[in-house]
Amino acid sequence: MSDPALRIAIIDFHGTLCERDCAAAFGQAAHVETMLVSSEKDSFSGPVHAIVVPGGFSYGDYIRPGAMARTAPITRALYAAADAGTPIIGICNGFQILCEIRLLPGVLLKNRDGRFICRETGLRVQSRRSPFLAGVKPDVLRVPIAHKYGQYYCSAETLAELQANDQIALCYCDDEGQISDAANPNGSVGHIAGVTNKAGNVLGMMPHPERRAMPWHAGKDGNWMIESVCA
Amino acid sequence: MNILIDQILNQRQKDTLLAGLGRDPTPAEVAMVSAMWSEHCGYTHSRHFLKTLPREGEHVLAGPGENAGIIRLHDQLAVAFKIESHNHPSAVVPYQGAATGVGGILRDIFTMGSEPIALMNSLHFDIRDHRGKWIAEHVVDGIADYGNCTGIPTVGGEYSSYPWYVDNPLVNVVCAGLLKPEQVLKASTAQVGDRVLYFGNKTGRDGIAGAIFASLNLTEATREQKSAVQVGDPFMGKLIMQATLELIRAGVPSAMQDMGAAGITCSTSEIAHNSGLGITVELDAVPVRAPGITAEEILLSESQERMLATVPPDRLAQAEEILNRYPLDYAWIGVIEETPDMVVRFQNETVASAPLDLLIDGCPVEDYADLTDDVLRAGKERASDLSGIAGTGRPLLGGKPSTNPEPPTLSALLEVYAETSHYASARHIYEQFDYEINQRTLGGPGDDHTLMYDAASERTVAFTLHSRSPWTLQHAYRGTRAVLAAAWRRSIAAGAYPLGLSNCLNYPSADRRETMIDFGGTTLAMKEFCEALGIPVTGGNVSFYNESEVGAIAPTPVFVLVGDSVLGPDRYRYAGAEGQLYLLGTPDLTAGDVYALWRLRQDGTLSGATVPTVDFAQEHQVGQALLDLYRAYPGAFAMRDVGKGGVFKRILEQFARADRDVVLNDDLPAALPDVLLGEGPCTYLLFVPDATTLEWPAALQAAGIRPLGRVTAGDGKLLAPAVELDLLKYRARADKSLEPHWIDQLELAP
């Protein structure tokens, strides 16, 4: 048996919920193998092409979303992979975790109106530096959010830095691709839906691309991102 | 001791217990009996009627008595499903009450070895005042937090606001799960010598039933810490779900039951009794979190997120190996015995030792032999006299009292339509639920039908949830028949012949004869429906005593139907095509809920309102013909049942677009208000796009299918003879969702 060309690691914390959705969506292509990696491990036991930190409620969101994940052994492996330039994506709770372990700047606060929101949103691709976005052809994707703590916040200085370094990857927009307060579902500063680290290899985003990816889904915009990183 | 019994048990129960034991009971025995012989566990008032329901069928893999019903959908797939009420806790503490309701129904589903795929809910409030809004908002929040955190999508539901839910909201939650037909694990398959495994949360004093609690010997410490409200922990719920499914997949347990009502008492006694065996329980081994907790408290605690399993002796190490990987407590708390007794030991003493036959089947039940089918069919007519029904007798907010109102005009009815919360988009509710997680949702909230997709078998499961309190209030028997026929039509429109029925029967006090006539009328209607259409009842839940000082709720049976749908990912989805509208059946305005709401606003009654008279054989014939049509023309046309809000609601939801008009024909089958806002037997609305050529089967021609109008180029109007309506205006109001109704002037306290 020949090794598959690409191995994608999907991190599984206690309370992670979207690990199987991500495995199904990212593992669609024949040349991709996904593997679930417990957060109790401190390495990936072998080379990985990319890493997905999926959504959910790791550790029940106790203390605050993503906070408990900091103590998990897998974070050491995440730091090493981030330094080595491995493509990493944190989706929803995964984004919250990447912020909590300081691989990404900023924090995610409770939504502007205090409630959980499950809704399809427009996403304007602002930067294609992340390997998950490099191959995305459209400028606007339709992908749903599902979160209570998704209001991205950072200081004015950090926001300026993000802009200067081209770290703002995705912004909420309307059907026509216009970025506006009305299209911003949760009150995120700068309408930010996703950011990268300075190097560009680590991406965090609140919307769920894996929910617009399967053959039976009416919309399939998430596949742009999946195919981008698996190319 | 006798004083204690007198406080907790009635005379008949006391006599039965003393005769059964042949001695005075111990305090632990009184505690256990009080729980097991309650309405909740013992079905004391309802058993007489429930035992008449058909529960057998070729598709039934598990029926009433198990944690959930299981139906075989096809060779590769079975579905476990159940509905349960959490009305009383939600009335007192809406957030926790609703959240623990979700936790409980989830446990019922995964306990059977099935993987939960969908949650639904049936929510009924009276949102006219602050308290009602506060309850509604926090119930939704509680459901959202628990469901979202466990990763099970909440994909559908129903909502109403009527005056009879003042003080007594109804919170009914549904869960469904999928499994392979050969994977079913029951609560009746324990073997002698199996060890009894407890896992999940520790046992505390939360959720100990108030009446029993107050009657037992309480310590000072108990009084200080007492709480009748259970607290949910969805993270723990998710962990025990994972652990349970892993144990079952590894073939470790011989039987499984979750700890719901009456906690350890109910789960241990039922698992042994249902297996035809006995059990010894060592309470000292139970993980507890409250120091000094008594035997009675451990036996009755309803602490959430706890599971019970029986495990053969050669599988103990394997069970421990699996459970050690989860951050949860577990303990071996007993053994399955040959002798059919329940023996409970605590601090080196035997605190209870009673025959299980007595504890479970010995429960004295009420006999209603005098309530014959004739009495139940006659029932009680209530349209104009709603005395005793909560919140009625005065007009709904915004209405003008009137003793002799004119028949309503279309504009008066549409005003009701636009101003009540019933026809507003439920987005404000369902957007708080994660309805897309797990990638299975083919039709979710806001869509025409509730459809879940199974990629492995490439099949779709359809779920239907339905209740209509204005009908069941007017007449329980005829109303229930109409509700069931409406639920049937919803299932047909979703492409599925229903294979199983579950029910949640919400009623006022069982101590009143009137309630039991209503209850019996409902069960008789269910029996007729199930027999006529060959649909088994696979489980259910009874909630009595939904009343307070201000009065009683309307009888509200809520039904769930499950079926294997012919609709798939390629089903027709309206995207702006021009085409023809067809109507089946003849809607009657007075049978619709818009009329009921108009009348309640006028004078607080349902005078003039009617219940549709339905013929199940006719519904069956039409339904089968429509399913055949779906099969013959896959993905070629759209179909909706005509239910709440009538044809108008369906036109508004689907065809109100800035570039389309809906033009109704001149020769309408009834007056315009009837056509737009009425309901009736066998009523469906079909849309056939111009690109599709349909040949109507003879059965539908015989049923009188007729053209109703056209969807054509235009600017958002509905045009009927002498009437022009601005659909976009009504659509905009509906799209504002419930927020104007729920949120305005509502302080959102945590």
Side-chain angles (χ1 to χ4, degrees), chain B residues 468-734:
Chain B
R468 300 296 288 273
S469 61
W471 289 346
T472 42
L473 173 60
Q474 287 176 64
H475 194 272
Y477 165 74
R478 286 189 291 114
T480 303
R481 283 178 59 95
V483 180
L484 286 162
W488 157 270
R489 290 192 290 271
R490 288 183 69 74
S491 184
I492 294 298
Y497 193 107
L499 297 174
L501 171 80
S502 189
N503 57 86
C504 194
L505 308 177
N506 304 281
Y507 285 78
S509 167
D511 300 333
R512 284 191 288 112
R513 186 177 161 84
E514 185 180 329
T515 302
M516 297 319 295
I517 292 174
D518 285 345
F519 187 84
T522 286
T523 49
L524 179 60
M526 279 167 69
K527 178 169 175 274
E528 291 171 352
F529 173 78
C530 292
E531 285 175 352
L533 299 169
I535 301 170
V537 175
T538 62
N541 177 240
V542 177
S543 174
F544 282 124
Y545 305 103
N546 292 288
E547 63 178 79
S548 66
E549 312 83 65
V550 299
I553 64 160
T556 311
V558 180
F559 298 106
V560 183
L561 292 170
V562 173
D564 181 28
S565 175
V566 300
L567 300 181
D570 60 347
R571 74 193 190 286
Y572 184 80
R573 305 188 79 140
Y574 185 73
E578 295 188 42
Q580 185 77 38
L581 289 169
Y582 292 88
L583 183 69
L584 255 177
T586 308
D588 171 357
L589 173 68
T590 58
D593 51 356
V594 178
Y595 180 89
L597 284 161
W598 172 80
R599 180 53 97 164
L600 283 165
R601 276 166 63 118
Q602 293 297 312
D603 61 4
T605 76
L606 291 173
S607 299
T610 58
V611 176
T613 302
V614 294
D615 174 343
F616 293 139
Q618 197 187 5
E619 295 281 353
H620 183 255
Q621 209 176 6
V622 171
Q624 285 283 33
L626 289 169
L627 288 180
D628 288 343
L629 195 69
Y630 263 144
R631 288 193 197 95
Y633 301 96
F637 69 99
M639 169 165 55
R640 298 275 301 265
D641 58 298
V642 176
K644 297 171 192 171
V647 164
F648 186 67
K649 181 165 193 281
R650 281 132 196 90
I651 286 178
L652 208 53
E653 285 173 356
Q654 226 149 17
F655 308 113
R657 298 165 60 103
D659 58 351
R660 288 288 172 267
D661 277 348
V662 175
V663 184
L664 299 189
N665 296 344
D666 291 344
D667 57 337
L668 292 175
L672 190 58
D674 293 275
V675 169
L676 287 181
L677 300 168
E679 286 187 61
C682 301
T683 42
Y684 296 87
L685 181 70
L686 286 81
F687 172 75
V688 182
D690 288 343
T692 296
T693 313
L694 277 186
E695 204 168 305
W696 298 112
L700 291 183
Q701 288 181 20
I705 189 153
R706 63 171 76 85
L708 180 68
R710 275 192 61 75
V711 179
T712 184
D715 56 358
K717 297 274 193 304
L718 184 140
L719 302 167
V723 173
E724 180 180 311
L725 297 173
D726 183 352
L727 289 177
L728 296 182
K729 184 188 81 183
Y730 287 102
R731 177 65 187 259
R733 277 172 103 153

Side-chain angles (χ1 to χ4, degrees), chain A residues 21 62 118-119 210-211 216, chain B residues 115 233 431 434 438-439:
Chain A
D21 292 2
Y62 293 155
C118 183
R119 181 191 301 166
E210 80 278 12
R211 297 186 184 183
W216 59 90
Chain B
E115 185 175 325
D233 177 350
E431 282 194 348
D434 190 341
N438 298 350
Q439 300 175 324

Side-chain angles (χ1 to χ4, degrees), chain B residues 190-313:
Chain B
Q191 303 288 320
V192 175
D194 286 354
R195 297 281 300 276
V196 180
L197 172 66
Y198 167 118
F199 65 98
N201 229 334
K202 286 186 168 69
T203 295
R205 291 196 174 95
D206 48 335
I208 294 174
I212 300 157
F213 191 88
S215 311
L216 289 173
N217 296 321
L218 301 184
T219 62
E220 255 334 289
T222 323
R223 284 199 188 85
E224 281 166 20
Q225 294 177 41
K226 82 169 173 179
S227 160
V229 177
Q230 309 142 14
V231 179
D233 177 350
F235 179 52
M236 180 61 83
K238 149 95 172 149
L239 293 176
I240 63 165
M241 175 168 71
Q242 278 184 301
T244 300
L245 290 173
E246 193 175 342
L247 285 168
I248 294 174
R249 282 185 194 126
V252 170
S254 55
M256 182 87 87
Q257 178 138 13
D258 83 299
M259 294 194 208
I264 289 181
T265 299
C266 186
S267 55
T268 54
S269 61
E270 286 192 354
I271 211 167
H273 185 65
N274 292 345
S275 306
L277 299 167
I279 191 168
T280 299
V281 180
E282 304 282 349
L283 292 184
D284 299 295
V286 172
V288 296
R289 64 166 178 261
I293 193 168
T294 67
E296 292 79 19
E297 288 169 336
I298 297 173
L299 283 167
L300 293 183
S301 166
E302 291 184 6
S303 291
Q304 295 288 294
E305 287 89 28
R306 299 179 302 160
M307 298 292 294
L308 193 85
T310 56
V311 179

Side-chain angles (χ1 to χ4, degrees), chain A residues 12 14-22 24-25 56-62 113-120 144-146 148 208 210-218, chain B residues 115 137 141 144-145 148-151 233-236 238-239 242 249 325-327 428 430-442 453 455 569 573 739 743 748:
Chain A
D12 186 19
H14 281 307
T16 294
L17 302 175
C18 302
E19 73 282 3
R20 285 186 302 175
D21 292 2
C22 285
F57 286 71
S58 56
Y59 307 97
D61 273 1
Y62 293 155
D113 67 0
R115 291 186 210 97
F116 191 96
I117 305 171
C118 183
R119 181 191 301 166
E120 189 174 86
I145 56 165
K148 197 172 198 171
H208 290 267
E210 80 278 12
R211 297 186 184 183
R212 290 292 181 272
M214 306 311 285
W216 59 90
H217 287 160
Chain B
E115 185 175 325
E137 195 64 31
D141 199 24
D145 275 359
N148 293 346
C149 188
T150 50
D233 177 350
F235 179 52
M236 180 61 83
K238 149 95 172 149
L239 293 176
Q242 278 184 301
R249 282 185 194 126
R325 282 190 270 114
Y326 293 91
H428 175 68
Y430 68 70
E431 282 194 348
Q432 297 187 55
F433 306 143
D434 190 341
Y435 53 82
E436 291 198 303
I437 193 166
N438 298 350
Q439 300 175 324
R440 292 179 179 278
T441 312
L442 217 54
Y453 189 64
R573 305 188 79 140
E739 288 186 59
I743 305 304
L748 268 181

Side-chain angles (χ1 to χ4, degrees), chain B residues 136-480:
Chain B
E137 195 64 31
H138 287 267
V139 160
V140 170
D141 199 24
I143 291 173
D145 275 359
Y146 203 106
N148 293 346
C149 188
T150 50
I152 311 303
T154 301
V155 298
E158 56 168 10
Y159 153 80
S160 83
S161 171
Y162 284 109
W164 40 83
Y165 300 119
V166 61
D167 271 16
N168 289 285
L170 298 187
V171 177
N172 292 183
V173 286
V174 183
C175 186
L178 294 181
L179 68 166
K180 295 207 168 73
E182 64 273 15
Q183 276 176 340
V184 176
L185 181 66
K186 296 190 177 182
S188 53
T189 41
Q191 303 288 320
V192 175
D194 286 354
R195 297 281 300 276
V196 180
L197 172 66
Y198 167 118
F199 65 98
N201 229 334
K202 286 186 168 69
T203 295
R205 291 196 174 95
D206 48 335
I208 294 174
I212 300 157
F213 191 88
S215 311
L216 289 173
N217 296 321
L218 301 184
T219 62
E220 255 334 289
T222 323
R223 284 199 188 85
E224 281 166 20
Q225 294 177 41
K226 82 169 173 179
S227 160
V229 177
Q230 309 142 14
V231 179
D233 177 350
F235 179 52
M236 180 61 83
K238 149 95 172 149
L239 293 176
I240 63 165
M241 175 168 71
Q242 278 184 301
T244 300
L245 290 173
E246 193 175 342
L247 285 168
I248 294 174
R249 282 185 194 126
V252 170
S254 55
M256 182 87 87
Q257 178 138 13
D258 83 299
M259 294 194 208
I264 289 181
T265 299
C266 186
S267 55
T268 54
S269 61
E270 286 192 354
I271 211 167
H273 185 65
N274 292 345
S275 306
L277 299 167
I279 191 168
T280 299
V281 180
E282 304 282 349
L283 292 184
D284 299 295
V286 172
V288 296
R289 64 166 178 261
I293 193 168
T294 67
E296 292 79 19
E297 288 169 336
I298 297 173
L299 283 167
L300 293 183
S301 166
E302 291 184 6
S303 291
Q304 295 288 294
E305 287 89 28
R306 299 179 302 160
M307 298 292 294
L308 193 85
T310 56
V311 179
D314 60 341
R315 296 283 204 159
L316 305 188
Q318 201 183 353
E320 294 187 2
E321 188 271 319
I322 289 172
L323 290 171
N324 281 337
R325 282 190 270 114
Y326 293 91
L328 41 77
D329 282 286
Y330 69 88
W332 300 100
I333 65 162
V335 64
I336 297 294
E337 312 272 12
E338 182 114 45
T339 317
D341 289 342
M342 171 140 178
V343 178
V344 182
R345 296 180 50 77
F346 186 57
Q347 295 175 347
N348 297 320
E349 278 183 48
T350 297
V351 295
S353 177
L356 281 165
D357 270 345
L358 176 67
L359 192 60
I360 292 168
D361 292 336
C363 167
V365 296
E366 302 294 327
D367 178 65
Y368 297 101
D370 59 324
L371 297 185
T372 61
D373 287 358
D374 287 344
V375 172
L376 299 176
R377 284 196 183 100
K380 183 171 166 61
E381 302 280 357
R382 263 196 222 94
S384 54
D385 177 12
L386 302 186
S387 53
I389 302 301
T392 57
R394 65 186 166 100
L396 290 186
L397 235 56
K400 298 177 204 72
S402 167
T403 48
N404 183 24
E406 297 288 306
T409 60
L410 181 63
S411 65
L413 291 161
L414 287 174
E415 193 181 303
V416 171
Y417 186 98
E419 286 180 9
T420 63
S421 64
H422 287 77
Y423 314 106
S425 161
R427 210 176 56 229
H428 175 68
I429 299 177
Y430 68 70
E431 282 194 348
Q432 297 187 55
F433 306 143
D434 190 341
Y435 53 82
E436 291 198 303
I437 193 166
N438 298 350
Q439 300 175 324
R440 292 179 179 278
T441 312
L442 217 54
D447 291 332
D448 304 359
H449 320 294
T450 305
L451 301 170
M452 301 301 286
Y453 189 64
D454 180 60
S457 61
E458 297 185 333
R459 300 284 275 267
T460 305
V461 193
F463 296 98
T464 300
L465 177 65
H466 209 59
S467 70
R468 300 296 288 273
S469 61
W471 289 346
T472 42
L473 173 60
Q474 287 176 64
H475 194 272
Y477 165 74
R478 286 189 291 114
T480 303

